[in-house]
Amino acid sequence: MRNLVRSFPVISHGEGVWLWDTDGKKYLDGSSGAFVAGLGHGVREVADAVHAQMLRVGYVNGTQFTSEPTEALARRLTADAPAGLDRAFFLASGSEAVEAALKFARQLWVERGEQQRGRVVARIPSYHGNTLYALSISGRPHYKKYYGPMLSEVVTVSSPYPYRSPVDDYDMHGAQWFADELERKLQEVGPDTIGAFIAEPVIGSSAGAAVPPKGYFPAISEVCRKYGILLISDEILCGTARTGSFFASKLYDFEPDILVMGKAIGGGIVPASAVLVKTAHVDEMKRGTGYFMHAQTYMQMPTITAAGVATLDYIEKYKLVENARATGALLHEELRKQILPLPHVGSVQGVGLMAGVEFVADKATKAPFARSRKIVEKVVNTLFEKGLIVWPNVGQANGVDGDLVMLGPPLTIAPDEVHALVAMLRAGILESLEAV
Ligand code: PLP
């Protein structure tokens, strides 16, 4: 949501994990903006590559041409992608990629003569975007508040969310519990009315970097396979090395039918997203209608894809997958040591350079603060004053209450910067929650 009543500092420049505003104030960007500046700020290599591409050719119509960087990015991304995902197309935002992925899945069912497979299963809580269908499938009730008549019906199941799990031993029994829930839901609504199931491997801000229980995705994949449902992995936030694996689906050991990426794939300097699909599915469409009924103006734009190629080069050159793993381990260790014991910190969770810190009124019962107390706003404002940027979320406890902050610093963050981040976070939490 864009706040219309407050004024925003004007940022003048950034470098690495740091940003400076025009008054000279320095901020540690603890969430890479909206998880976009994954390479950090002021990355010359990516800017130079995009500039060079702009001078060669900045735009061609994706319905008429392809281009060298577009082909290169498709080749590079699909080379290491989960099995079978060997075709790619590119758009300019996560919501667009989600919409395109769902339309691709839907068209495939129409091509197969299964018109009745028009529904999607999604999870609560979750987030897949803010355009109307992406919002429909997002498990975030407060985002939908005003838009009911414009949204579509979606079938929902529970998200795995360890801190507020319905299962006693999350890791031991969670996978089976959630797979059974999905199967029951499919039986209830009719599995042959469902075209696709969409999930974030690690849930973004809607559940504060919630990781799935062991074996969750293999178990869910098995249910999807049994009923012929296409599995879509939304790696817009948790992909592009964030978890310490370039593809989050590889970390969680499953092979989606469609995979969407966004945010950091544009190197933090251009809006970019990607949809990876299977050749087998493209071939079905080729044999059928011969086209995918979807196009957008900035589809396959060379400026976007040049940024993507330079981003992959940068990640490889500076070993950022490995850094996300190693520095991420340090971040989680420090959060467990220094943040989890604080009053009102209920949980610290996540993986790699992705973490969520949840605040509760009562640590013993996990009771959330009433939303009217605006706890996370207090925390975020105090941290902002101190020069630490984090990403807030509300509502995850019961759809209304719940306060958490997300951390996702640039993948280039150094150990001393992790210590600085945690020290600022600790001071800010203590200060803002001491009198609540
Ligand atoms: N999917 C996930 C998991 C996201 O976190 C987001 C954005 O936060 C989106 C989709 C939507 O992406 P965008 O805001 O670029 O449209």
Side-chain angles (χ1 to χ4, degrees):
M1 126 180 103
R2 173 85 176 169
N3 191 325
L4 300 181
V5 291
R6 69 167 268 225
S7 60
F8 296 90
V10 179
I11 288 297
S12 80
H13 64 288
E15 190 182 329
V17 302
W18 303 99
L19 289 168
W20 284 264
D21 70 19
T22 46
D23 292 331
K25 181 171 173 180
K26 186 177 170 185
Y27 305 82
L28 199 167
D29 189 354
S31 56
S32 306
F35 285 76
V36 169
L39 309 181
H41 297 281
V43 178
R44 178 164 285 280
E45 278 111 307
V46 182
D48 284 347
V50 171
H51 184 229
Q53 183 59 45
M54 284 171 159
L55 296 177
R56 266 195 302 277
V57 57
Y59 178 83
V60 290
N61 185 339
T63 65
Q64 293 166 340
F65 294 105
T66 183
S67 65
E68 286 168 338
T70 297
E71 292 304 308
L73 184 57
R75 239 184 352 262
R76 296 271 297 275
L77 274 181
T78 57
D80 277 336
L85 294 176
D86 30 31
R87 302 295 294 266
F89 63 98
F90 304 103
L91 293 158
S93 76
S95 302
E96 288 172 50
V98 166
E99 302 272 351
L102 289 162
K103 286 171 80 177
F104 185 89
R106 169 64 189 157
Q107 188 179 328
L108 199 58
W109 287 116
V110 176
E111 303 266 358
R112 290 171 173 176
E114 294 203 44
Q115 297 276 355
Q116 81 289 354
R117 288 214 192 231
R119 296 199 283 180
V120 172
V121 181
R123 310 182 309 172
I124 299 179
S126 67
Y127 184 60
H128 299 289
N130 242 334
T131 48
L132 289 170
Y133 199 71
L135 181 60
S136 301
I137 59 164
S138 293
R140 294 189 76 141
H142 60 291
Y143 275 26
K144 301 184 181 182
K145 195 166 159 189
Y146 307 121
Y147 306 115
M150 304 170 85
L151 300 175
S152 309
E153 183 232 333
V154 174
V155 177
T156 57
V157 291
S158 322
S159 284
Y161 173 15
Y163 186 58
R164 299 187 181 279
S165 167
V167 197
D168 283 342
D169 187 337
Y170 187 73
D171 260 330
M172 182 90 113
H173 304 298
Q176 196 56 48
W177 192 94
F178 289 106
D180 288 346
E181 187 203 27
L182 174 61
E183 188 151 16
R184 271 198 312 278
K185 181 54 77 125
L186 293 176
Q187 292 298 349
E188 186 189 312
V189 299
D192 61 351
T193 65
I194 305 295
F197 174 84
I198 186 163
E200 300 158 79
V202 182
I203 304 173
S205 55
S206 56
V211 295
K214 275 199 189 72
Y216 171 87
F217 276 103
I220 290 290
S221 304
E222 189 55 42
V223 177
C224 288
R225 249 194 317 273
K226 180 168 168 189
Y227 295 101
I229 292 164
L230 299 165
L231 175 55
I232 303 176
S233 183
D234 181 344
E235 306 193 16
I236 286 164
L237 191 149
C238 67
T240 320
R242 176 60 56 194
T243 61
S245 165
F246 186 84
F247 292 103
S249 40
K250 285 198 157 178
L251 186 65
Y252 294 108
D253 211 14
F254 71 108
E255 292 170 357
D257 294 290
I258 303 176
L259 189 155
V260 287
M261 311 181 75
K263 294 186 180 277
I265 196 67
I269 59 169
V270 300
S273 61
V275 183
L276 308 190
V277 298
K278 295 186 163 176
T279 298
H281 293 154
V282 173
D283 286 347
E284 282 185 61
M285 282 191 190
K286 272 192 193 160
R287 286 193 300 270
T289 53
Y291 52 79
F292 173 34
M293 180 61 97
H294 183 74
Q296 290 189 269
T297 299
Y298 297 110
M299 180 176 80
Q300 319 288 49
M301 181 170 171
T303 312
I304 290 176
T305 49
V309 172
T311 298
L312 298 190
D313 286 342
Y314 198 86
I315 288 173
E316 263 174 46
K317 182 169 170 191
Y318 296 100
K319 300 198 176 337
L320 297 187
V321 173
E322 294 79 353
N323 198 54
R325 220 176 290 141
T327 321
L330 173 68
L331 174 68
H332 287 284
E333 188 187 322
E334 287 302 303
L335 291 174
R336 274 193 303 274
K337 268 200 323 234
Q338 306 216 35
I339 305 298
L340 190 55
L342 299 182
H344 299 298
V345 174
S347 95
V348 159
Q349 59 185 13
V351 61
L353 279 170
M354 181 171 174
V357 176
E358 180 160 346
F359 307 106
V360 288
D362 183 335
K363 285 176 78 146
T365 62
K366 303 183 182 178
F369 288 103
R371 183 78 289 272
S372 55
R373 299 189 62 190
K374 295 193 180 304
I375 292 296
V376 79
E377 288 84 340
K378 280 198 183 87
V379 174
V380 168
N381 290 341
T382 308
L383 292 170
F384 205 86
E385 284 299 310
K386 291 185 180 305
L388 174 63
I389 300 165
V390 296
W391 183 351
N393 184 67
V394 300
Q396 77 286 349
N398 57 18
V400 177
D401 307 312
D403 299 87
L404 65 80
V405 294
M406 286 284 284
L407 302 170
L411 306 173
T412 51
I413 190 168
D416 62 324
E417 292 167 333
V418 168
H419 290 296
L421 185 161
V422 175
M424 270 195 262
L425 183 64
R426 183 180 162 86
I429 292 173
L430 282 171
E431 188 179 316
S432 45
L433 298 186
E434 87 183 324
V436 299

